[in-house]
């Protein structure tokens, strides 16, 4: 199996999935890159999580009221959903269509919103905007339930344009005016929520969207140059056909899957780093009739995605850091107790899942890293990778042993980097790792004592690799 | 005018009342998975809760008249603790036996909650357990356990000595796919909710296969992951049809008799919770007008028992309550 094929597949699975074990990477290489891309893009054609089993062994995951339980259930799915790109896209939309538990105060509704992203996050963008606009959690989070025919609240109308579709501007131009914001908000009046049951005594009922025609402003409006008795549906149609929407989506997908970009408020004045890539994604958006999966197909099959220069050039976000490490070491690959504490780890690293800091979401890229979060990231990964009892780590140790009866320190370091990535490190890092390995000399595994020492030193080397700057990237 | 009568002629199932509410401690239940009823009509409700609310993992003791008695047990791996409690049953001396499908053991308590002992070891050999789920104890003090991931039923003495087993993983007669609930009929037959095969299987006490009822689906006599089973004095078989949100009642020969979908009226504990919160009273009133079925109907019923009065008691998992039904011979208004 060619090293470059393994490296490319590992890259695809780091970006379009939450990483994979070495066994899984090699199995996917055997399937072929193009086939794996299609598999990722067509989740409906293959089995997902076995929900009946999940509900049997973790019954509290179902209709869970507590936010912690919803986060735990989502982390379980990120680790184990065979339809990995679904989970990756659920996280993608959660980081853009931000709504947070701190205001919503319903773990169940946050969980339902993530489920909506999971189910429709690779579908049609116009359809997704409709689902977002009728999502009770979003209606409540951005106060559309307080926006009335006679007393307008512009919050949802404004954020829909600024943060959920057009963006403030592109190519140094503004994408919409204050009048467009008002017209948009008026079009969504009457989009509200039916009364749900309270939490006590039998648990909240799911919130349902409800349109109240008597509270809807049906008068004439002008939005982005189009005039009529526009309602929310009309506004979404207009939004979907804007070049700015294609740019917005293309730039977000590039930032999430290819290379870190500047933060969204800077997009009006800062052009994309790779305009040709953005053009290709925009073209796919319009050619397909706003299909997100069509854009992803172009992206994953493109040279700009496969390029060696973009590999290990994106900072892992905390959820990616936690979940990819768990997948690599083979922990929680079946339903078992003990996931609660682990599911809180992204929060300690600066990403409180289901509770973004503002409607603008988290700042990504190198802003994930500060002295505090770096310590959390390193401690988390090194604790797990250094535990040679874990099945994934044990498998890596076995693979390393299979490379020869005796490994020189250089071969040992090279093998460890290959199996935890394949990871390319700077010369300085490599020198440090080799220097440490040299202290122990050659590694053999003929006797039980040698095997134990081999495993111990491998765990130690994995811990050192987890502490490198390079391990913070994907 | 004549009445064209199709179906039952001699039984009516009449909702009586509900017991409980969702609660992590005291007067209520949290993700209850099974319960047992003693000869005094006291219920021992096994609450699974979840790991970030370990305080909710416990056995709640109360009467079916909604008198709170006590609670005991907690989350953990020490003696008397539970991780994934799954089934509960009483022996002839009315000691409680609780299965734990993570710890692969059975814990024994007095009715007051005093820990008496434990037995069980993980594995697939004779007498070893892999996710023990349902438990029932016969009049001769034989313990029957659905050993779910081993796809079998195992029999033990009260102190855990292995006696025998029947079944194996599969879909054929006498085979199981993750069996869950188990009940013993007055005729000595053993009834098993064959969970992932969507059916109920019937065996003699020594494990001879007698019959299988049901198939996958949501129609008459069809099941979607049945998990609890009970047999009353007439031999009628009550099955909690978990993901179809109903209880199906079958005749002794397996014919469909009727279904219960839930008829809940606010329990006293429920009222107690609401009475001090006028905002929630108002909110519930609006919600009830909008969607009365949400609170009334079963939400993942997971265990059913017959009490000493012949009443059918259904543990309603997601809503944290027991709905009690009378079975009456005379015509009753429902």
């Amino acid at each position: 199996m060619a090293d470059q094929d393994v490296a490319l597949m590992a890259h695809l699975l780091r970006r379009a999935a939450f990483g994979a074990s070495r066994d899984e990477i090699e199995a996917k290489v055997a399937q072929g890159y193009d086939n794996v891309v299609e598999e990722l893009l067509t989740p409906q054609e293959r089995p997902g999580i076995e929900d009946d089993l999940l509900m049997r062994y973790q019954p509290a995951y179902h209709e869970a009221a507590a936010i912690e339980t919803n986060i735990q259930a989502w982390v379980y799915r990120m680790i184990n959903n065979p339809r990995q790109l679904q989970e990756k896209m659920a996280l993608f939309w959660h980081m853009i269509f931000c709504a947070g538990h701190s205001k919503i105060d319903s773990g169940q509704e946050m969980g339902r919103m993530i489920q909506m992203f999971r189910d429709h996050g690779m579908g049609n963008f116009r359809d997704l905007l409709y689902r977002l606009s009728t999502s009770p959690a979003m209606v409540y989070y951005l106060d559309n339930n307080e926006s009335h025919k006679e007393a307008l609240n512009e919050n949802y109308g404004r954020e829909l344009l600024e943060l959920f579709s057009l963006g403030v501007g592109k190519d140094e131009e503004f994408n919409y005016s204050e009048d467009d914001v008002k017209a948009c908000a008026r079009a969504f009046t009457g989009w509200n929520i039916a009364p749900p049951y309270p939490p006590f005594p039998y648990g909240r009922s799911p919130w349902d969207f409800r349109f109240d025609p008597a509270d809807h402003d049906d008068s004439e409006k002008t939005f982005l140059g189009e005039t009529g008795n526009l309602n929310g549906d009309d506004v979404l149609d207009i939004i979907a056909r804007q070049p700015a929407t294609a740019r917005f989506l293309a730039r977000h997908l590039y930032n999430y899957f290819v290379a870190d970009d500047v933060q969204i408020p800077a997009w009006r004045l800062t052009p994309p780093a790779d305009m040709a890539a953005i053009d290709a994604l925009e073209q796919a958006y319009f050619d397909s009739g706003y299909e997100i999966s069509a854009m992803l197909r172009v992206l994953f099959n493109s040279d700009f995605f496969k390029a060696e220069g973009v590999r290990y050039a994106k900072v892992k976000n905390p959820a990616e850091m936690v979940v990819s490490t768990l997948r690599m070491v083979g922990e929680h690959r079946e339903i078992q107790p003990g996931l609660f504490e682990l599911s809180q780890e992204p929060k300690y690293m600066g990403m409180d899942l289901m509770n973004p800091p503002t409607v603008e979401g988290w700042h990504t890229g190198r802003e994930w890293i500060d002295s505090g979060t770096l310590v959390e990231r390193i401690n988390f990964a090194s604790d797990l990778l250094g535990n040679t009892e874990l099945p994934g780590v044990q498998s890596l140790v076995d693979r390393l042993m299979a490379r020869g009866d005796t490994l020189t320190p250089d071969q040992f370091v090279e093998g460890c980097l290959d199996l935890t990535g394949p990871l390319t490190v700077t010369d300085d890092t490599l020198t440090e790792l080799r220097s440490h390995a040299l202290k122990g000399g050659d590694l053999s595994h003929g006797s039980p004592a040698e095997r134990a020492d081999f495993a111990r030193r491998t765990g130690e080397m994995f811990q050192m690799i987890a502490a490198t700057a390079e391990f913070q990237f994907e | 005018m004549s009445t064209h009568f199709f179906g039952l002629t001699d039984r009516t199932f009449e909702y009586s009342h509900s017991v409980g509410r969702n609660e992590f401690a005291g007067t209520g239940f949290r993700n209850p998975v099974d319960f047992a009823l003693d000869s005094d009509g006291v219920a021992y409700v096994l609450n699974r809760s979840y790991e970030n609310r370990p305080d909710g993992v416990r056995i709640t003791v109360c009467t079916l008249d909604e008198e709170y008695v006590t609670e005991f047990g907690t989350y953990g791996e020490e003696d008397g603790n539970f991780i994934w409690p799954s089934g509960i049953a009483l022996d002839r001396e009315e000691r409680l036996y609780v299965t734990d499908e993570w710890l692969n053991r059975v814990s024994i308590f007095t009715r007051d909650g005093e820990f008496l002992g434990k037995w069980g070891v993980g594995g697939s050999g004779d007498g070893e357990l892999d996710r023990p789920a349902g438990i029932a104890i016969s009049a001769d003090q034989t313990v029957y356990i659905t050993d779910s991931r081993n796809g079998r039923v195992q029999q033990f003495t009260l102190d855990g000595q292995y006696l025998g087993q029947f079944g194996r993983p599969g879909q054929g007669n006498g085979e199981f796919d993750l069996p869950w609930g188990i009940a013993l009929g007055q005729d000595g037959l053993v009834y098993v909710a064959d969970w992932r095969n969507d059916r109920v299987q019937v065996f003699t006490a020594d494990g001879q296969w007698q019959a299988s009822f049901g198939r996958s689906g949501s129609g008459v006599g069809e099941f979607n992951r049945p998990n609890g089973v009970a047999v009353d004095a007439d031999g009628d078989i009550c099955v909690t049809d978990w993901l179809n949100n109903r209880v199906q009642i079958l005749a002794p020969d397996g014919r469909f008799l009727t279904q219960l979908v839930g008829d809940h009226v606010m329990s006293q504990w429920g009222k107690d919770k609401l009475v001090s919160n006028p905002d929630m009273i108002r909110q519930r009133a609006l919600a009830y007008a909008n969607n009365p079925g949400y609170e009334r109907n079963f939400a993942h019923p997971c265990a059913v028992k017959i009490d000493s009065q012949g009443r059918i008691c259904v543990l309603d998992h997601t809503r944290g309550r027991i709905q009690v039904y009378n079975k009456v011979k005379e015509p009753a208004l429902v």
Side-chain angles (χ1 to χ4, degrees):
Chain A
M1 190 166 286
D3 289 348
Q4 64 267 30
D5 291 341
V6 171
L8 178 60
M9 185 57 69
H11 170 61
L12 175 66
L13 296 178
R14 284 193 302 273
R15 301 291 175 86
F18 288 94
S21 69
R22 186 54 175 253
D23 292 344
E24 290 165 325
I25 292 168
E26 293 188 1
K28 295 293 184 190
V29 169
Q31 277 181 247
Y33 184 92
D34 294 350
N35 292 331
V36 173
V37 168
E38 280 309 303
E39 184 178 282
L40 288 162
L41 290 170
T42 52
Q44 68 281 3
E45 293 179 14
R46 60 210 78 255
I49 292 277
E50 295 180 291
D51 282 309
D52 61 338
L53 285 180
L54 190 58
M55 197 168 159
R56 172 165 177 171
Y57 295 120
Q58 295 282 16
Y61 284 6
H62 187 75
E63 291 187 19
I67 189 66
E68 296 88 349
T69 311
N70 281 277
I71 293 169
Q72 189 180 331
W74 189 15
V75 169
Y76 176 81
R77 287 179 186 275
M78 289 187 208
I79 300 168
N80 291 296
N81 192 346
R83 303 165 170 177
Q84 277 280 287
L85 187 52
Q86 276 192 331
E87 299 303 329
K88 201 81 188 215
M89 289 304 289
L91 183 62
F92 173 77
W93 290 119
H94 178 51
M95 294 170 70
I96 298 171
F97 296 159
C98 291
H101 181 256
S102 59
K103 174 168 179 178
I104 291 172
D105 191 27
S106 168
Q108 185 180 358
E109 289 308 312
M110 287 308 306
R112 291 179 72 215
M113 177 176 253
I114 300 301
Q115 182 67 42
M116 186 266 281
F117 296 155
R118 181 178 295 121
D119 290 342
H120 303 286
M122 278 190 270
N124 184 278
F125 188 62
R126 161 66 176 80
D127 173 63
L128 188 63
L129 285 180
Y130 177 80
R131 292 178 187 280
L132 182 74
S133 302
T134 55
S135 158
M138 185 56 78
V139 168
Y140 182 72
Y141 185 69
L142 290 179
D143 306 316
N144 210 59
N145 56 313
E146 299 294 339
S147 186
H148 305 290
K149 180 180 177 180
E150 304 298 340
L152 195 63
N153 184 312
E154 296 173 5
N155 204 7
Y156 183 68
R158 181 177 303 281
E159 304 305 359
L160 174 63
L161 304 185
E162 181 181 334
L163 294 171
F164 299 165
S165 59
L166 303 170
V168 172
K170 73 179 181 72
D171 304 331
E172 302 186 13
E173 300 293 329
F174 287 102
N175 289 331
Y176 57 89
S177 68
E178 279 299 300
D179 287 344
D180 290 321
V181 169
K182 288 188 174 59
C184 180
R186 287 166 57 206
F188 281 102
T189 50
W191 292 45
N192 214 309
I193 306 168
Y197 280 83
F200 304 120
Y202 299 109
R204 284 186 169 119
S205 56
W207 298 358
D208 291 324
F209 172 77
R210 185 167 75 180
F211 176 67
D212 181 356
D215 200 22
H216 175 64
D217 177 352
D218 197 36
S219 64
E220 188 175 270
K221 314 164 188 74
T222 298
F223 177 69
L224 296 178
E226 299 193 30
T227 301
N229 299 92
L230 305 175
N231 60 25
D233 272 305
D234 300 320
V235 161
L236 295 179
D237 287 339
I238 295 168
I239 287 173
R241 50 181 182 256
Q242 300 301 311
T245 300
R247 172 67 59 85
F248 170 90
L249 195 45
R251 208 154 171 178
H252 265 304
L253 289 171
Y254 188 91
N255 177 54
Y256 189 71
F257 287 110
V258 184
D260 290 326
D261 197 353
V262 297
Q263 306 304 317
I264 187 170
W267 284 5
R268 185 175 74 84
L269 297 174
T270 307
D274 183 348
M275 196 62 226
I278 299 300
D279 282 343
L281 295 173
E282 290 179 13
Q283 190 67 42
Y285 175 79
F286 285 116
D287 287 351
S288 66
Y290 323 139
E291 291 295 325
I292 300 157
S293 61
M295 301 177 77
L296 291 170
R297 184 171 286 107
V298 167
L299 189 151
F300 293 132
N301 287 315
S302 69
D303 290 340
F304 62 78
F305 176 75
K306 296 177 182 176
E308 291 193 18
V310 302
R311 299 179 195 173
Y312 289 108
K314 264 183 62 60
V315 177
K316 294 173 190 166
N317 70 45
E320 289 168 336
M321 185 75 189
V322 169
V323 175
S324 65
T325 305
L326 290 168
R327 283 172 62 81
M328 183 184 289
V329 304
E331 184 71 321
H332 284 275
R333 297 302 294 264
E334 67 168 355
I335 307 166
Q336 63 188 83
L339 191 55
F340 167 57
E341 288 295 339
L342 289 170
S343 69
Q344 295 293 302
E345 288 289 341
K347 178 165 72 176
Y348 307 146
M349 299 176 193
M351 190 181 207
D352 190 4
L353 286 171
M354 299 194 181
N355 198 26
T358 69
V359 68
E360 191 184 314
W362 293 276
H363 284 192
T364 57
R366 289 178 188 254
E367 294 196 40
W368 286 121
I369 308 278
D370 62 31
S371 55
T373 60
L374 182 60
V375 169
E376 290 290 342
R377 292 164 75 105
I378 290 172
N379 286 346
F380 174 80
S382 65
D383 282 354
L384 287 167
L385 276 164
N387 184 352
T388 54
E389 302 287 313
L390 295 176
V393 182
Q394 183 62 58
S395 170
L396 295 180
V397 172
D398 291 344
R399 279 176 166 273
L400 205 53
M401 287 181 178
R403 293 187 174 210
D405 293 338
T406 301
L407 296 182
T408 66
D410 282 2
Q411 289 172 324
F412 173 58
V413 171
E414 182 190 338
C416 287
L417 288 169
D418 179 49
L419 292 173
T420 51
L423 188 64
T424 304
V425 296
T426 63
D427 289 344
D428 286 347
T429 302
L430 191 58
T431 302
E432 288 291 322
L433 297 176
R434 282 175 169 166
S435 166
H436 180 78
L438 268 173
K439 291 177 193 165
D442 289 352
L443 295 93
S444 300
H445 49 87
S447 69
E450 286 173 335
R451 290 182 68 83
D453 193 52
F454 191 110
R456 180 190 61 75
R457 287 182 64 189
T458 305
E460 205 173 87
M461 182 56 65
F462 285 162
Q463 286 187 306
M464 293 187 70
I465 290 171
T468 63
E470 289 84 348
F471 196 79
Q472 305 309 313
F473 293 83
E474 65 174 14
Chain B
M1 185 181 295
S2 64
T3 297
H4 296 89
F5 201 102
F6 307 104
L8 300 176
T9 58
D10 59 351
R11 319 157 166 81
T12 303
F13 298 91
E14 172 196 43
Y15 173 77
S16 169
H17 67 285
S18 294
V19 179
R21 67 182 189 221
N22 269 328
E23 203 68 73
F24 287 105
T27 51
F29 318 125
R30 179 61 62 170
N31 297 105
V33 288
D34 197 13
F35 67 121
L37 296 169
D38 74 11
S39 56
D40 297 328
V42 174
Y44 302 83
V45 181
L46 189 60
N47 299 283
R48 185 131 165 176
S49 190
Y50 39 96
E51 62 184 274
N52 52 307
R53 285 306 300 263
D55 50 329
V57 179
R58 68 202 195 278
I59 294 170
T60 305
V61 185
C62 64
T63 71
L64 290 179
D65 296 324
E66 230 174 10
E67 289 176 25
Y68 174 77
V69 178
T70 188
E71 63 187 12
F72 60 87
T74 189
Y75 187 81
E77 298 189 11
E78 302 299 317
D79 287 352
N81 293 173
F82 313 115
I83 297 289
W84 283 358
S86 184
I88 185 168
L90 288 152
D91 70 8
R92 205 166 53 205
E93 279 72 42
E94 304 208 300
R95 291 174 294 231
L96 290 158
Y97 294 71
V98 181
T99 57
D100 188 309
E101 58 186 340
W102 181 254
L103 298 173
N104 289 321
R105 73 185 186 193
V106 175
S107 297
I108 308 168
F109 301 88
T110 66
R111 291 193 299 175
D112 299 326
E114 180 189 351
F115 176 73
L116 297 175
K118 63 182 180 186
W119 48 264
V121 60
S124 57
D126 290 351
E128 295 175 342
L129 299 166
D130 190 357
R131 302 239 168 133
I135 182 169
I137 302 175
S138 66
D140 70 356
Q141 303 282 51
T142 300
V143 180
Y144 291 77
I145 290 177
T146 51
D147 183 16
S148 66
R149 289 217 297 200
N150 284 324
R152 65 188 177 184
V153 172
Q154 293 205 77
Q155 297 141 307
F156 299 89
T157 63
L158 292 177
D159 59 357
Q161 299 302 307
Y162 171 73
L163 295 174
Q165 62 176 286
F166 57 88
R168 62 181 179 183
Q171 286 75 47
N173 290 335
E175 297 176 338
F176 299 109
D177 191 352
L178 297 175
W180 191 337
I182 186 167
L184 305 170
Q186 293 187 342
D187 50 10
L189 294 176
V190 182
Y191 298 76
V192 180
D194 188 7
W195 184 72
R196 236 184 179 198
N197 282 327
D198 290 324
R199 65 186 179 183
V200 172
Q201 295 201 72
V202 188
F203 299 84
T204 61
D206 60 355
Q208 298 301 307
W209 178 83
Q210 300 296 296
S212 295
F213 306 134
R215 60 181 180 183
S216 298
S218 58
V220 163
E222 296 177 337
F223 297 101
N224 191 349
R225 304 296 184 262
N227 50 357
V229 59
V231 185
D232 72 9
D234 299 323
D236 289 347
I237 307 160
C238 305
V239 185
T240 48
D241 189 5
W242 191 45
L243 295 182
N244 281 328
N245 288 318
R246 65 182 179 180
V247 173
Q248 289 196 64
I249 300 177
L250 311 179
D253 62 2
R255 285 177 302 120
F256 173 83
L257 293 178
T258 190
Q259 66 177 6
L260 311 174
V261 296
D263 295 271
H264 169 82
V265 173
M266 182 75 74
S267 69
Q268 186 57 47
W269 290 355
K271 291 175 186 169
D272 294 345
K273 187 75 177 184
L274 278 180
V275 72
S276 59
N277 196 322
D279 284 348
M280 286 199 191
I281 291 174
R282 289 192 190 94
Q283 188 183 338
R284 178 180 171 276
L286 289 170
Y288 193 86
N290 191 50
N291 178 14
Y294 175 78
E295 197 173 274
R296 185 183 59 213
N297 298 343
F298 291 131
H300 314 115
C302 65
V304 55
K305 308 290 175 185
I306 311 299
D307 78 354
S308 57
Q309 301 173 44
R311 296 184 298 184
I312 297 160
C313 307
V314 182
L315 188 60
D316 200 4
H317 173 89
T318 303
R319 302 280 174 269
R321 64 195 178 195
I322 298 169
Q323 294 199 41
V324 180
Y325 286 81
N326 297 316
K327 180 179 179 182
V328 291
K329 302 292 184 190
E330 298 303 317
L333 282 172
V334 297

